[in-house]
């Protein structure tokens, strides 16, 4: 939570995130290419560029980390420093990069 924003309401700041295919070290079987990405914006909305897709199995491996990456973390927290996540398919060895792309400000009372 942040201090009131001048309107007397408390505001929560969360980072918008982009998960990008950084590299594929094996054979690509899911049809994704290096550079393909999905964005998590406005706290809980996933966006995939038109005409593209993102493999649900790759996505499920990164999803548990995203709520923590959305928040400010202490500088010495391992999750503040690490940004790479591997897909669970051992033949594909797809590596994704999680990066912060903006800040979303939400009224705290609108959140659950």
């Amino acid at each position: 939570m942040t201090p009131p924003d001048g309107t007397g309401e408390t505001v929560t700041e969360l980072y918008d995130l982009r998960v990008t295919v950084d590299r594929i070290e094996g054979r690509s079987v899911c049809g994704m290419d290096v550079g393909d990405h999905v964005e998590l914006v406005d706290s809980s909305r996933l966006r995939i560029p038109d005409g593209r897709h993102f493999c649900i199995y790759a996505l499920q491996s990164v999803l548990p980390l995203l709520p923590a990456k959305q928040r400010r973390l202490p500088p010495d927290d391992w999750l503040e420093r690490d940004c790479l996540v591997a897909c669970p398919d051992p033949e594909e060895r797809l590596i994704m990069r999680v990066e912060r792309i903006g800040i979303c400000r939400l009224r705290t009372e609108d959140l659950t």
Side-chain angles (χ1 to χ4, degrees):
M1 274 192 260
T2 61
D5 64 358
T7 64
E9 296 176 343
T10 304
V11 173
T12 298
E13 289 184 345
L14 297 174
Y15 287 104
D16 290 334
L17 304 173
R18 178 178 293 142
V19 178
T20 304
V21 177
D22 189 72
R23 61 187 182 272
I24 301 171
E25 298 174 342
R27 66 182 184 101
S28 179
V29 294
C30 67
M32 290 200 305
D33 298 312
V34 171
D36 283 346
H37 67 273
V38 60
E39 293 178 348
L40 174 59
V41 298
D42 300 328
S43 171
S44 62
R45 297 175 187 216
L46 289 177
R47 288 194 310 212
I48 300 171
D50 287 342
R52 301 301 304 165
H53 75 280
F54 207 90
C55 173
I56 63 167
Y57 302 106
L59 187 59
Q60 65 88 27
S61 66
V62 74
L63 281 176
L65 302 174
L66 298 184
K69 290 293 271 188
Q70 286 181 297
R71 289 162 173 74
R72 293 185 200 279
L73 300 169
D76 57 345
D77 188 303
W78 71 270
L79 197 52
E80 185 67 26
R81 297 184 314 270
D82 290 350
C83 64
L84 298 177
V85 180
C87 173
D89 186 333
E91 285 191 35
E92 195 156 30
R93 296 188 310 278
L94 183 137
I95 307 298
M96 297 163 283
R97 177 176 302 279
V98 180
E99 57 191 330
R100 294 170 172 160
I101 59 171
I103 293 182
C104 174
R105 294 176 54 88
L106 303 161
R107 289 178 359 143
T108 303
E109 69 180 43
D110 292 341
L111 303 173
T112 57

Coordinates of all heavy atoms in Angstrom, one line a residue, residues 46-100:
L46 N -4.4 -11.1 -18.3 CA -3.4 -11.6 -19.2 C -3.7 -11.1 -20.6 O -4.8 -11.1 -21.1 CB -3.4 -13.1 -19.2 CG -2.9 -13.8 -18.0 CD1 -3.0 -15.3 -18.1 CD2 -1.4 -13.4 -17.7
R47 N -2.6 -10.6 -21.3 CA -2.7 -10.2 -22.7 C -1.7 -10.9 -23.5 O -0.5 -11.0 -23.2 CB -2.4 -8.7 -22.8 CG -3.5 -7.8 -22.3 CD -3.4 -6.3 -22.7 NE -2.0 -5.8 -22.5 CZ -1.8 -4.5 -22.2 NH1 -2.7 -3.7 -22.1 NH2 -0.5 -4.1 -22.0
I48 N -2.2 -11.4 -24.7 CA -1.4 -12.1 -25.6 C -1.6 -11.3 -26.9 O -2.7 -11.0 -27.3 CB -1.8 -13.6 -25.8 CG1 -1.6 -14.3 -24.5 CG2 -0.9 -14.3 -26.9 CD1 -2.2 -15.7 -24.5
P49 N -0.5 -11.0 -27.7 CA -0.6 -10.3 -28.9 C -1.5 -11.0 -29.9 O -1.5 -12.2 -29.9 CB 0.8 -10.2 -29.5 CG 1.7 -10.3 -28.2 CD 0.9 -11.3 -27.3
D50 N -2.3 -10.2 -30.7 CA -3.2 -10.8 -31.7 C -2.4 -11.7 -32.6 O -1.3 -11.4 -33.0 CB -3.8 -9.7 -32.5 CG -4.9 -8.9 -31.7 OD1 -5.4 -9.5 -30.7 OD2 -5.3 -7.8 -32.2
G51 N -3.0 -12.9 -32.9 CA -2.5 -13.8 -33.8 C -1.4 -14.7 -33.2 O -0.8 -15.5 -33.9
R52 N -1.1 -14.6 -31.9 CA -0.1 -15.4 -31.3 C -0.7 -16.2 -30.2 O -1.9 -16.1 -29.9 CB 1.0 -14.5 -30.6 CG 1.7 -13.5 -31.6 CD 2.5 -14.3 -32.7 NE 3.4 -15.2 -32.2 CZ 3.9 -16.2 -33.0 NH1 3.7 -16.3 -34.2 NH2 4.8 -17.1 -32.4
H53 N 0.1 -17.1 -29.6 CA -0.4 -17.9 -28.5 C 0.7 -18.1 -27.5 O 1.8 -17.7 -27.8 CB -0.9 -19.3 -29.0 CG 0.2 -20.2 -29.3 ND1 0.9 -20.1 -30.5 CD2 0.8 -21.2 -28.6 CE1 1.9 -21.1 -30.6 NE2 1.8 -21.7 -29.4
F54 N 0.4 -18.6 -26.3 CA 1.4 -18.9 -25.3 C 1.0 -20.2 -24.7 O -0.1 -20.4 -24.3 CB 1.4 -17.8 -24.2 CG 2.7 -17.7 -23.6 CD1 3.7 -16.8 -24.1 CD2 3.0 -18.4 -22.4 CE1 4.9 -16.7 -23.5 CE2 4.3 -18.3 -21.8 CZ 5.2 -17.4 -22.3
C55 N 1.9 -21.1 -24.7 CA 1.7 -22.5 -24.2 C 1.2 -22.5 -22.8 O 1.9 -21.9 -21.9 CB 3.0 -23.3 -24.4 SG 2.9 -25.0 -23.7
I56 N 0.1 -23.2 -22.5 CA -0.4 -23.2 -21.1 C 0.6 -24.0 -20.2 O 0.6 -23.7 -19.0 CB -1.8 -23.8 -21.0 CG1 -1.8 -25.3 -21.5 CG2 -2.8 -23.0 -21.8 CD1 -3.1 -26.0 -21.1
Y57 N 1.4 -24.9 -20.7 CA 2.3 -25.6 -19.8 C 3.5 -24.8 -19.4 O 4.0 -24.8 -18.3 CB 2.7 -26.9 -20.5 CG 1.5 -27.8 -20.8 CD1 1.1 -27.9 -22.1 CD2 0.8 -28.4 -19.8 CE1 0.0 -28.7 -22.4 CE2 -0.3 -29.2 -20.1 CZ -0.7 -29.3 -21.4 OH -1.9 -30.0 -21.7
A58 N 3.9 -24.0 -20.4 CA 5.0 -23.0 -20.0 C 4.4 -22.0 -19.1 O 5.1 -21.6 -18.1 CB 5.5 -22.3 -21.3
L59 N 3.2 -21.5 -19.3 CA 2.6 -20.5 -18.5 C 2.4 -21.0 -17.1 O 2.7 -20.3 -16.1 CB 1.3 -20.0 -19.1 CG 0.6 -18.9 -18.4 CD1 1.4 -17.6 -18.4 CD2 -0.8 -18.6 -19.1
Q60 N 2.0 -22.2 -16.9 CA 1.7 -22.8 -15.6 C 3.0 -22.8 -14.7 O 2.9 -22.7 -13.5 CB 1.0 -24.1 -15.6 CG 1.9 -25.3 -16.2 CD 2.7 -26.0 -15.2 OE1 2.4 -26.0 -14.0 NE2 3.8 -26.6 -15.7
S61 N 4.1 -22.9 -15.4 CA 5.4 -22.9 -14.6 C 5.8 -21.6 -14.0 O 6.5 -21.5 -13.0 CB 6.5 -23.6 -15.4 OG 6.8 -22.7 -16.5
V62 N 5.3 -20.5 -14.7 CA 5.7 -19.2 -14.2 C 4.6 -18.5 -13.4 O 4.9 -17.6 -12.6 CB 6.1 -18.3 -15.4 CG1 4.9 -17.9 -16.3 CG2 6.9 -17.1 -15.0
L63 N 3.4 -18.9 -13.5 CA 2.3 -18.3 -12.8 C 2.5 -18.1 -11.3 O 2.2 -17.1 -10.7 CB 0.9 -19.0 -13.1 CG 0.3 -18.7 -14.4 CD1 -1.0 -19.6 -14.6 CD2 -0.1 -17.3 -14.6
P64 N 3.0 -19.2 -10.6 CA 3.1 -19.0 -9.1 C 4.0 -17.9 -8.7 O 3.9 -17.4 -7.6 CB 3.6 -20.4 -8.7 CG 3.3 -21.3 -9.7 CD 3.3 -20.5 -11.0
L65 N 5.0 -17.5 -9.6 CA 5.9 -16.4 -9.2 C 5.4 -15.0 -9.5 O 5.9 -14.1 -8.9 CB 7.2 -16.6 -10.0 CG 7.9 -18.0 -9.8 CD1 9.1 -18.1 -10.7 CD2 8.3 -18.2 -8.4
L66 N 4.4 -14.9 -10.3 CA 4.0 -13.6 -10.8 C 3.4 -12.7 -9.7 O 3.8 -11.5 -9.7 CB 3.0 -13.7 -12.0 CG 3.6 -14.4 -13.2 CD1 2.6 -14.3 -14.3 CD2 4.9 -13.7 -13.6
P67 N 2.6 -13.2 -8.8 CA 2.1 -12.2 -7.7 C 3.2 -11.6 -6.9 O 3.2 -10.5 -6.5 CB 1.2 -13.1 -6.9 CG 0.7 -14.2 -7.8 CD 1.9 -14.5 -8.7
A68 N 4.3 -12.4 -6.6 CA 5.4 -11.8 -5.9 C 6.2 -10.8 -6.7 O 6.6 -9.8 -6.3 CB 6.3 -12.9 -5.4
K69 N 6.4 -11.1 -8.0 CA 7.1 -10.2 -8.9 C 6.3 -8.9 -9.1 O 6.9 -7.9 -9.5 CB 7.4 -10.9 -10.3 CG 8.4 -12.0 -10.2 CD 9.8 -11.5 -9.9 CE 10.5 -11.1 -11.1 NZ 11.9 -10.7 -10.8
Q70 N 5.0 -8.9 -8.9 CA 4.2 -7.7 -9.1 C 4.5 -6.7 -7.9 O 4.1 -5.5 -8.1 CB 2.7 -8.0 -9.0 CG 2.2 -8.7 -10.3 CD 0.7 -8.9 -10.2 OE1 0.3 -9.7 -9.4 NE2 0.0 -8.3 -11.1
R71 N 5.1 -7.1 -6.9 CA 5.2 -6.3 -5.7 C 6.7 -5.8 -5.5 O 7.6 -6.5 -6.0 CB 4.8 -7.0 -4.4 CG 3.3 -7.2 -4.4 CD 2.8 -8.3 -3.5 NE 1.4 -8.3 -3.3 CZ 0.5 -8.7 -4.3 NH1 1.0 -9.2 -5.4 NH2 -0.8 -8.7 -4.1
R72 N 6.9 -4.7 -4.8 CA 8.2 -4.3 -4.5 C 8.8 -5.3 -3.5 O 8.1 -5.7 -2.5 CB 8.2 -2.9 -3.8 CG 7.8 -1.8 -4.8 CD 7.9 -0.5 -4.1 NE 7.1 0.6 -4.7 CZ 7.4 1.2 -5.8 NH1 8.6 1.0 -6.4 NH2 6.6 2.1 -6.3
L73 N 10.0 -5.7 -3.7 CA 10.7 -6.6 -2.9 C 12.0 -6.0 -2.3 O 12.5 -5.1 -3.0 CB 11.0 -7.9 -3.7 CG 9.8 -8.6 -4.3 CD1 10.3 -9.7 -5.3 CD2 8.9 -9.3 -3.2
P74 N 12.4 -6.5 -1.2 CA 13.7 -6.0 -0.7 C 14.8 -6.3 -1.7 O 14.8 -7.4 -2.4 CB 13.9 -6.8 0.6 CG 12.6 -7.4 1.0 CD 11.8 -7.5 -0.3
P75 N 15.8 -5.5 -1.8 CA 16.9 -5.7 -2.8 C 17.6 -7.0 -2.7 O 18.1 -7.5 -3.7 CB 17.8 -4.5 -2.6 CG 17.1 -3.6 -1.7 CD 16.0 -4.3 -1.1
D76 N 17.7 -7.6 -1.5 CA 18.4 -8.8 -1.3 C 17.5 -10.1 -1.4 O 18.0 -11.2 -1.3 CB 19.1 -8.8 0.0 CG 18.2 -8.6 1.2 OD1 17.1 -8.2 1.0 OD2 18.6 -8.8 2.4
D77 N 16.3 -9.9 -1.8 CA 15.4 -11.0 -2.0 C 15.7 -11.7 -3.3 O 16.0 -11.1 -4.3 CB 13.9 -10.5 -2.1 CG 12.9 -11.6 -2.1 OD1 13.0 -12.5 -3.0 OD2 12.0 -11.6 -1.2
W78 N 15.8 -13.0 -3.3 CA 16.3 -13.8 -4.5 C 15.4 -13.5 -5.6 O 15.8 -13.5 -6.8 CB 16.4 -15.3 -4.2 CG 15.0 -16.0 -4.0 CD1 14.4 -16.1 -2.8 CD2 14.2 -16.5 -5.0 NE1 13.2 -16.8 -3.0 CE2 13.0 -17.0 -4.4 CE3 14.3 -16.7 -6.4 CZ2 12.0 -17.7 -5.1 CZ3 13.3 -17.3 -7.1 CH2 12.2 -17.8 -6.4
L79 N 14.1 -13.3 -5.4 CA 13.1 -13.1 -6.5 C 13.3 -11.7 -7.1 O 12.9 -11.5 -8.3 CB 11.7 -13.3 -6.0 CG 10.6 -13.5 -7.0 CD1 11.0 -14.7 -8.0 CD2 9.3 -13.8 -6.4
E80 N 13.9 -10.8 -6.4 CA 14.2 -9.5 -7.0 C 15.3 -9.6 -8.0 O 15.3 -8.9 -9.0 CB 14.6 -8.5 -5.8 CG 14.8 -7.1 -6.3 CD 13.5 -6.4 -6.8 OE1 12.4 -6.8 -6.4 OE2 13.7 -5.5 -7.6
R81 N 16.2 -10.5 -7.8 CA 17.4 -10.7 -8.6 C 17.2 -11.6 -9.8 O 17.7 -11.5 -10.8 CB 18.6 -11.1 -7.8 CG 19.0 -10.1 -6.7 CD 20.3 -10.6 -6.0 NE 20.3 -12.0 -5.6 CZ 19.8 -12.4 -4.4 NH1 19.3 -11.6 -3.5 NH2 19.8 -13.7 -4.1
D82 N 16.4 -12.7 -9.5 CA 16.2 -13.8 -10.5 C 15.0 -13.4 -11.4 O 14.0 -13.0 -10.9 CB 16.0 -15.1 -9.9 CG 17.2 -15.6 -9.2 OD1 18.3 -15.1 -9.4 OD2 17.1 -16.6 -8.5
C83 N 15.1 -13.7 -12.7 CA 14.0 -13.4 -13.6 C 13.8 -14.5 -14.6 O 12.9 -14.4 -15.5 CB 14.2 -12.1 -14.3 SG 15.7 -12.1 -15.3
L84 N 14.5 -15.6 -14.6 CA 14.4 -16.7 -15.6 C 13.6 -17.9 -15.0 O 13.8 -18.3 -13.8 CB 15.7 -17.2 -16.0 CG 16.6 -16.1 -16.7 CD1 18.0 -16.7 -17.1 CD2 15.9 -15.6 -18.0
V85 N 12.7 -18.4 -15.8 CA 11.9 -19.6 -15.4 C 11.9 -20.6 -16.6 O 11.8 -20.2 -17.8 CB 10.4 -19.1 -15.1 CG1 9.6 -20.3 -14.7 CG2 10.4 -18.0 -14.1
A86 N 12.0 -21.9 -16.3 CA 12.0 -22.9 -17.3 C 10.7 -23.6 -17.4 O 10.0 -23.8 -16.5 CB 13.1 -24.0 -16.9
C87 N 10.3 -23.9 -18.7 CA 9.2 -24.7 -19.0 C 9.4 -26.1 -18.5 O 10.5 -26.6 -18.4 CB 9.0 -24.7 -20.5 SG 7.7 -25.8 -21.1
P88 N 8.3 -26.8 -18.1 CA 8.5 -28.1 -17.5 C 8.9 -29.2 -18.5 O 9.2 -30.3 -18.2 CB 7.2 -28.4 -16.8 CG 6.2 -27.6 -17.5 CD 7.0 -26.4 -17.9
D89 N 8.7 -28.9 -19.8 CA 9.0 -30.0 -20.9 C 10.5 -30.1 -21.0 O 11.2 -29.2 -21.5 CB 8.4 -29.5 -22.2 CG 8.5 -30.6 -23.3 OD1 9.5 -31.4 -23.2 OD2 7.7 -30.6 -24.2
P90 N 11.1 -31.3 -20.6 CA 12.5 -31.5 -20.6 C 13.1 -31.5 -22.0 O 14.3 -31.2 -22.2 CB 12.7 -32.8 -19.9 CG 11.4 -33.5 -20.0 CD 10.4 -32.5 -20.1
E91 N 12.3 -31.9 -23.0 CA 12.8 -31.9 -24.4 C 12.9 -30.5 -25.0 O 13.8 -30.2 -25.8 CB 12.0 -32.8 -25.3 CG 12.2 -34.3 -25.0 CD 11.6 -35.2 -26.1 OE1 11.5 -34.7 -27.3 OE2 11.1 -36.2 -25.7
E92 N 12.0 -29.7 -24.6 CA 12.0 -28.3 -25.2 C 13.0 -27.4 -24.6 O 13.6 -26.6 -25.2 CB 10.5 -27.8 -25.0 CG 10.3 -26.6 -25.9 CD 8.9 -26.4 -26.2 OE1 8.0 -26.7 -25.4 OE2 8.6 -25.8 -27.3
R93 N 13.1 -27.4 -23.2 CA 14.0 -26.6 -22.5 C 13.8 -25.1 -22.9 O 14.8 -24.4 -23.2 CB 15.5 -27.0 -22.7 CG 15.7 -28.4 -22.1 CD 17.1 -28.8 -22.0 NE 17.9 -28.7 -23.3 CZ 17.9 -29.6 -24.3 NH1 17.1 -30.6 -24.2 NH2 18.6 -29.3 -25.3
L94 N 12.5 -24.7 -22.8 CA 12.2 -23.3 -23.1 C 12.4 -22.5 -21.9 O 12.0 -22.8 -20.8 CB 10.7 -23.3 -23.5 CG 10.2 -21.9 -23.9 CD1 9.3 -22.1 -25.2 CD2 9.3 -21.3 -22.8
I95 N 13.1 -21.4 -22.0 CA 13.4 -20.5 -20.9 C 12.7 -19.1 -21.1 O 12.8 -18.5 -22.2 CB 15.0 -20.2 -20.8 CG1 15.7 -21.5 -20.7 CG2 15.3 -19.3 -19.6 CD1 15.4 -22.4 -19.6
M96 N 12.0 -18.7 -20.1 CA 11.3 -17.5 -20.1 C 11.9 -16.4 -19.2 O 12.4 -16.8 -18.1 CB 9.8 -17.7 -19.7 CG 9.1 -18.6 -20.6 SD 7.6 -19.3 -19.8 CE 8.3 -20.5 -18.7
R97 N 11.8 -15.2 -19.6 CA 12.3 -14.0 -18.8 C 11.1 -13.2 -18.3 O 10.2 -12.9 -19.1 CB 13.2 -13.1 -19.6 CG 13.7 -11.9 -18.9 CD 14.6 -11.1 -19.8 NE 15.8 -11.9 -20.2 CZ 16.8 -12.1 -19.4 NH1 16.9 -11.6 -18.2 NH2 17.8 -12.8 -19.8
V98 N 11.0 -12.9 -17.0 CA 10.0 -12.1 -16.4 C 10.5 -10.7 -16.2 O 11.6 -10.6 -15.5 CB 9.5 -12.7 -15.1 CG1 8.4 -11.9 -14.5 CG2 9.0 -14.2 -15.3
E99 N 9.9 -9.7 -16.7 CA 10.4 -8.3 -16.5 C 9.2 -7.4 -16.2 O 8.1 -7.6 -16.6 CB 11.1 -7.8 -17.8 CG 10.3 -7.9 -19.0 CD 11.2 -7.6 -20.3 OE1 12.2 -6.9 -20.2 OE2 10.8 -8.2 -21.3
R100 N 9.5 -6.4 -15.4 CA 8.6 -5.4 -15.0 C 8.5 -4.3 -16.2 O 9.5 -3.9 -16.6 CB 9.0 -4.8 -13.7 CG 8.9 -5.8 -12.6 CD 9.5 -5.2 -11.3 NE 9.3 -6.1 -10.2 CZ 10.0 -6.1 -9.1 NH1 11.0 -5.2 -9.0 NH2 9.7 -6.9 -8.1

